[in-house]
Amino acid sequence: MIQSQPRKAAFLDRDGVLVEILRDAELGVLYTAFHPDQLRPTRGALESLRRLKDLGYLRIVVTNQPGPAKGHFPEQQIERMHQRLRELFDGELDAIYHCPHHPEGGPGGDPALVRRCDCRKPKPGMLLQAAREHAIDLPASVMIGDSPDDVRAGASAGVRTILINGGRCELCPNRGADSVRPDATVASLSEAVDFIANNTAPVLGGAPSGRGS
């Protein structure tokens, strides 16, 4: 629904922020959920969403989901996972945006989804689309993610950025030295909300260097 007055939003990555990154103990690898039953909320996630609402933020998920392009599961599975997210968080999500594309794809993947797009993070497409559709004031908003791609997407969209240093972030040193510096680095979603509550100034002339970065 289009609103007449701009509002601020907390853009949230899904895996590693709202739900747990999964680990195969035998193979020692990290992976994201392929099925709704695998979704497990991170500690304090529901309370954090409620706190964001109390602070006046829309709660909008922006997530790369290249599984269909890679042949891991059909695209229809994504909506089933979205529905499970809404159930897990008791209706505390205002919108969910996803990118199903991948530039290379995989065996058995949907060729229509194998392409370079403007929505796959680190591109800011999902954030910009949400801003148009929900009348969001981007400089007053924030992106919370667990990877450099989340930070770069947020910075490109003109929002503050918070990096949760856990889960996949153990892989962050391998993602390149040119990653945009976040406004804050925290250990959990709850700490991210603490930072937001104590640092309410919008972005002015570029991202400030925030506490904990």
Side-chain angles (χ1 to χ4, degrees):
M1 179 186 302
I2 300 297
Q3 301 293 319
S4 57
Q5 295 298 323
R7 298 176 292 175
K8 58 187 178 181
F11 297 102
L12 302 132
D13 183 40
R14 193 192 81 176
D15 302 295
V17 175
L18 289 173
V19 298
E20 298 284 355
I21 295 289
L22 306 176
R23 182 185 295 272
D24 187 309
E26 183 175 339
L27 297 177
V29 296
L30 301 173
Y31 65 99
T32 59
F34 286 2
H35 190 277
D37 292 342
Q38 294 178 308
L39 296 173
R40 299 286 184 274
T42 54
R43 178 176 294 183
L46 178 56
E47 180 185 356
S48 295
L49 290 173
R50 289 171 173 162
R51 289 177 63 199
L52 286 168
K53 181 178 182 179
D54 290 342
L55 290 168
Y57 287 84
L58 295 175
R59 291 76 42 90
I60 298 180
V61 177
V62 286
T63 176
N64 289 349
Q65 292 299 320
K70 291 183 173 182
H72 294 161
F73 50 81
E75 190 172 8
Q76 295 85 344
Q77 182 84 326
I78 295 178
E79 180 50 42
R80 290 193 285 270
M81 296 177 81
H82 288 175
Q83 182 56 38
R84 179 59 179 156
L85 269 187
R86 297 181 186 100
E87 294 169 358
L88 286 172
F89 295 115
D90 198 24
E92 293 290 341
L93 296 173
D94 294 295
I96 302 175
Y97 291 81
H98 78 278
C99 171
H101 308 116
H102 192 271
E104 299 172 4
D110 183 345
L113 300 176
V114 179
R115 61 185 177 89
R116 297 189 181 278
C117 63
D118 292 326
C119 54
R120 178 175 169 83
K121 294 176 292 185
K123 295 290 185 65
M126 287 185 284
L127 286 76
L128 299 178
Q129 180 183 354
R132 290 192 301 269
E133 295 180 353
H134 297 272
I136 291 168
D137 180 357
L138 287 171
S141 299
V142 62
M143 173 77 213
I144 306 172
D146 71 329
S147 81
D149 283 350
D150 296 318
V151 175
R152 292 175 64 190
S156 295
V159 307
R160 291 177 296 161
T161 59
I162 301 176
L163 178 67
I164 295 179
N165 190 15
R168 283 178 296 185
C169 252
E170 63 190 57
L171 307 177
C172 287
N174 299 321
R175 298 298 294 274
D178 62 342
S179 296
V180 175
R181 183 178 176 87
D183 294 295
T185 300
V186 299
S188 67
L189 180 56
S190 295
E191 287 190 15
V193 179
D194 289 340
F195 175 84
I196 292 169
N198 293 311
N199 296 268
T200 56
V203 175
L204 295 173
S209 58
R211 183 186 65 187
S213 7

